[in-house]
Amino acid sequence: MNKIALVTGATSGIGEACARKLAMIGYNMIITGRRAERLDAVAHELSAMGVGVITLEFDVRDREAAAAAINSLPPEWQDIDVLVNNAGGALGLEPEYEGNFEDWDTMIDANVKGLLTMTRLIVPGMVQRDRGHVVNIGSVAGDAAYANGNVYCATKAAVKALSDGLRIDVAHTRVRVTNIKPGLVETNFSVIRFHGDKEKADNVYKGIQPLTGADIAECVAFAVSAPEHVQIAELLVLATHQASGSVIVRK
């Protein structure tokens, strides 16, 4: 059987692109997400590439549902080689003192606690087998806060710390840990951040050619395809005219 990769949040954006790229290089795929219809559509596309596909419909914020989904995997699908913790996102763009409590809870529960849940469910098996690779999708926002990014930036700083901590915790094994930190990526990210306001979302990418989900998927493939003795600890990936989380030159 081919190696197995699990990608969370695989129904759109970076997650969908990662699932497609990993299938392209021969991984059997477990894809997770909240939207059954989109999961089925992505699964149909991946199956056409000649790889095995399993869909798991759940929200990473629901720990019990996540555990039940992972425990439901057939025995031959339980030895997961690559975990891509992608599910999550940003909500709101207000000063910290005006932030929305529900937005904060959603970001912390998905970006931090959801990542921890999936790590806790999958990595013990990797440690036991002495092989595996965890790829966390972080952000340039985790390196330094930007105006009105406060809680989102904090969650991605947590992803960096959790990636570093896990890398230390598994250093006695052959399990590898990679934190990929994209800058501006044009996906559904900004539409969600602005609660469906497409005009506001489009303004985020005006005057600059942003990254795409496929660009980040290439980075994931690069990291997991490195020789076994090579661990790509971090990859910071920016659009050409973006210098940092807050410095963007628009033309």
Side-chain angles (χ1 to χ4, degrees):
M1 187 173 179
N2 293 354
K3 286 186 174 182
I4 298 168
L6 187 155
V7 179
T8 64
T11 55
S12 65
I14 292 173
E16 180 182 353
C18 287
R20 188 179 294 115
K21 182 63 182 181
L22 290 171
M24 197 179 298
I25 63 176
Y27 281 85
N28 288 330
M29 297 303 307
I30 303 169
I31 55 174
T32 87
R34 295 175 295 164
R35 296 176 289 165
E37 188 176 311
R38 280 296 305 148
L39 277 175
D40 290 344
V42 175
H44 180 74
E45 180 186 344
L46 301 182
S47 295
M49 297 181 185
V51 301
V53 185
I54 285 183
T55 62
L56 298 176
E57 182 190 352
F58 67 90
D59 188 327
V60 295
R61 294 175 295 169
D62 186 336
R63 189 170 293 154
E64 289 185 6
I70 297 304
N71 291 334
S72 75
L73 289 170
E76 65 271 21
W77 282 85
Q78 290 179 5
D79 292 353
I80 293 165
D81 298 282
V82 173
L83 167 63
V84 181
N85 278 316
N86 164 75
L91 285 169
L93 196 66
E94 303 89 15
E96 192 170 321
Y97 57 85
E98 294 178 356
N100 180 291
F101 289 119
E102 290 183 4
D103 286 352
W104 292 354
D105 287 342
T106 298
M107 287 186 283
I108 292 167
D109 288 347
N111 299 357
V112 181
K113 293 165 72 175
L115 178 146
L116 279 170
T117 292
M118 296 306 299
T119 300
R120 182 65 181 84
L121 291 171
I122 303 300
V123 174
M126 292 181 173
V127 170
Q128 186 177 20
R129 295 186 299 274
D130 194 30
R131 61 180 170 80
H133 199 142
V134 178
V135 180
N136 292 329
I137 304 299
S139 172
V140 63
D143 287 347
Y146 54 75
N148 300 328
N150 43 79
V151 174
Y152 173 70
C153 295
T155 66
K156 290 304 184 178
V159 171
K160 173 177 170 53
L162 292 171
S163 301
D164 292 345
L166 180 61
R167 195 178 304 110
I168 292 166
D169 291 341
V170 298
H172 64 292
T173 75
R174 291 184 295 168
V175 177
R176 300 182 292 182
V177 181
T178 300
N179 179 23
I180 294 184
K181 306 183 298 185
L184 276 180
V185 184
E186 188 166 13
T187 63
N188 209 35
F189 175 90
S190 289
V191 176
I192 293 170
R193 170 168 241 169
F194 294 115
H195 300 282
D197 189 328
K198 184 124 183 3
E199 186 178 350
K200 273 189 180 179
D202 288 344
N203 284 335
V204 173
Y205 309 108
K206 275 192 176 172
I208 186 171
Q209 183 176 349
L211 303 169
T212 66
D215 295 327
I216 306 309
E218 290 288 342
C219 297
V220 172
F222 168 70
V224 302
S225 300
E228 193 176 70
H229 70 286
V230 177
Q231 179 169 216
I232 310 298
E234 283 193 354
L235 272 175
L236 175 62
V237 193
L238 303 174
T240 299
H241 294 297
Q242 179 176 15
S244 69
S246 57
V247 177
I248 298 168
V249 178
R250 302 180 189 274
K251 300 193 179 220

